[in-house]
Amino acid sequence: RKELVGKAGDVSLVINYGSPAVNDRIIYGDLVPYNKVWRTGANEATRITFPQDVMVGEANKKLAAGTYSLFTMPSSKEEWTVIFNKVADQWGAYDYEEASDAVRIKGMSMPAAAKAERMEFALDGNAVQLMWDDLVVAFPVASATK
C-alpha cells in the first residue's frame, strides 16, 4: 500500500491506497468496468482522511472531517463519479452500500501527459488527482471554514 500525505490548497489530507499496475491489461471498460463502483485501487478500498470539514467537487459539497473510503464509478473515460463512503475500512467494493455514501461528486477526467504504469494519487494546487494508464481524474478540495 502507498500513502500520500499533503495539502490540496490549504486542506491537509491523507490518502491510503493500493497501487495496481497496468501489466499490459485493458484498464478502462474492462479491469475498471463502466457503470460499476470501483474500489479505486487494489485490495482494500482506498481511504481518504480530512482532519477538518471540507468542500469537495465543483459543486462544493460539504464533507465532515473524518476518514472515508474513496470509490469511483466511471460511466466512460470522460464521465466519472467520485464517492466518499462512511465505511472507511472495506475490502474492495464487495460490501459497498450506496446508503453509506456521505457525498458523491463529479470527477474531472483528462488524458494523461504520459502513461502511468502504476496507479498513483497526487496533489496539484487545490486538486486531488488519480493517475493511471492514460487518464487523470481530479476533483477540487477546499476548506469548509473560510
Side-chain angles (χ1 to χ4, degrees):
R1 292 204 49 100
K2 290 190 170 191
E3 192 162 87
L4 172 65
V5 179
K7 284 189 164 197
D10 60 350
V11 175
S12 296
L13 58 91
V14 177
I15 304 174
N16 182 286
Y17 62 100
S19 176
V22 173
N23 285 339
D24 294 321
R25 298 178 289 187
I26 296 169
I27 302 302
Y28 303 107
D30 189 24
L31 186 68
V32 176
Y34 293 135
N35 302 310
K36 289 191 175 173
V37 172
W38 175 46
R39 71 181 99 188
T40 316
N43 304 319
E44 296 170 48
T46 292
R47 290 185 302 277
I48 188 166
T49 302
F50 299 105
Q52 66 187 77
D53 293 355
V54 295
M55 306 301 279
V56 292
E58 292 178 309
N60 283 318
K61 292 191 177 180
K62 188 169 186 179
L63 193 60
T67 299
Y68 300 89
S69 51
L70 182 71
F71 293 102
T72 49
M73 185 170 57
S75 53
S76 69
K77 276 182 129 177
E78 294 77 29
E79 297 287 326
W80 285 70
T81 300
V82 177
I83 304 164
F84 300 86
N85 189 274
K86 296 175 198 168
V87 181
D89 293 319
Q90 299 188 49
W91 182 263
Y94 304 107
D95 295 325
Y96 165 82
E97 291 182 359
E98 186 175 344
S100 295
D101 289 352
V103 168
R104 282 181 170 220
I105 60 171
K106 183 179 183 328
M108 299 170 289
S109 92
M110 59 208 93
K115 280 195 168 202
E117 172 64 20
R118 295 204 78 88
M119 191 198 89
E120 303 284 346
F121 279 93
L123 303 173
D124 182 23
N126 72 331
V128 173
Q129 296 181 325
L130 162 68
M131 300 168 291
W132 197 23
D133 195 21
D134 59 354
L135 204 59
V136 176
V137 178
F139 60 89
V141 177
S143 173
T145 56
K146 292 254 177 188

